[in-house]
Amino acid sequence: MQALQTPASLIQELTLDAPVSIVTLLEDRAQVRRIGKSNFTPGLWRIKVEQVAPVLSDKSLRAEFCQDYPYARIDDVRVRREMLVKEADKPDEIKALESEYWLLFKNFNNTKEDRAHLESCFEKVNAILAKGLQELPIDAIWRQIDPRTWREQVSTLFKQLRDLRVEILNSYHTQEDLSQKINDIITKANALSRPDMVYNARIEADLMIPQAGEYEIAFDYVVPNAMWRPWHQARLLRSEVPTNNSVSFSVDGCVWQRTGEDWNDVDLVFSTARSSLGTEPPLLTDDTLSVQEKSQAIVIEARDRKIQTTGTGTTQTPAPEQTPGTLDLPGVDDGGEVRTLRPGKKATIPSDGRPYRVPIFSFESAAEIEYILMPEMSCQVILKTAQTNTSQFPILAGPVDLVRTSGFVGRTEVLFIAPGENFALGWGPDSAMRVQRTQTQERKKNHLTRWNIVTTTTKLFLSNIGAESRSIKTTERVPISELEQVKVEVISDKTSNGVQPDENGFCTWNFQMEPYSQLQASLVYKISAAPEVRGI
């Protein structure tokens, strides 16, 4: 039994103007929404939307009416693709390349002939020199040699060989350059001679319209080759009054897209959803357990542990029962929660693969400025600001462009910062400060207890060559022991200001540096290990 088909003469066709209206950008793709409106008469219609992205995903394509139209329906929607071959007429460019090619080819042949002549002369001079050296012992036997004349002749031959070798080498490099230029011209000519291929795609939809009127239709589809990432900018606004310092912070979305269609004057939606991520059950393998005798020796090793945090806390002090006991890390980019950010204005993103920054939101916050020094990491005094995210939206993890009065000064990055969270920014080194750090170790053994003792002395030398005073927060660290057999102790009487480390092993000083002044500080600590400990 054959299915009944609607005659083509009864289907009306229309090319619908449905520009891109809304684009929802994900991490590695984009969801595009086109909206078109037109008047239809009752009957069957086949509408076409031209110049859509050829890379769109067919299974994601769908069409719907934007309003409730009684008894109107969309029977089918599909995408049609075609490749157009366009012959390019470029005779003038090809003729210019041909003229340049023959000129280079002629120079290449001339250089090749000159090099062959130089190599022939080199072989002849080399043969004359070899025969002369062979006859030298015979002339010496017959006492027919003049040392001065012999030395001048041999020196002349050696000089000719060196000059010929240099000329041969130069001609060789000239041939290589000409050969590379010839290959480049051939590549350009082949690119101009081949036809240009243009990929085109359109959307087709079959409609059934029960009554005449104006209908609005939306088309949704997903395209690859589009992505976005957060990109921020911070501007430091300093004031003569320290309490009036502030930071202007703006959050942008940087968009790249090469889908084959331009997004002109569209509403962008930045989403942190990860639709491509999936979970797979792990493969089950045998886990073999074995028993071995515990070693009597304790082998230790030093490891660096990073104290991770997204911000520096809020201005409100949490209650004791609300203070977390463990470190709860947020998600990669969005704090573990899918978020959508909408810019205040429409944007235009051409399909050229270049980055385009779209402003999302901005805020201004009061900033506390301080100078910090961590000489173990870098012997530079860094200008640091502490400010608060005063906006209603979170700051997503991403790079931050730093701008001061003099202009762009560098780039840093931030992690996820929640609304109301305090965070810090580093603005580069202070050119007026000079820092030098030295560290020495002394090892000895207690013959009574047989414990090994390592004493480490760290000395800091600070100089302020500027005309302004500086209050510098300096941080050094000492190891933290996790074993009873290893003890770490800071020697207070030999350490500047007798500072003691905190729970993370950080020792902190607040040095006040006057203009054109110098300062010296020291940190001395000792590590004591039991005799059975190895690796200290």
Side-chain angles (χ1 to χ4, degrees), residues 147-158:
R148 182 178 179 181
T149 304
W150 172 80
R151 188 179 296 107
E152 292 178 355
Q153 292 177 353
V154 173
S155 300
T156 303
L157 292 175
F158 272 113

Side-chain angles (χ1 to χ4, degrees), residues 60-75:
S60 66
L61 177 62
R62 69 185 187 92
E64 62 180 1
F65 290 109
C66 296
Q67 300 179 13
D68 186 15
Y69 301 106
Y71 304 107
R73 69 174 186 265
I74 301 176
D75 295 330

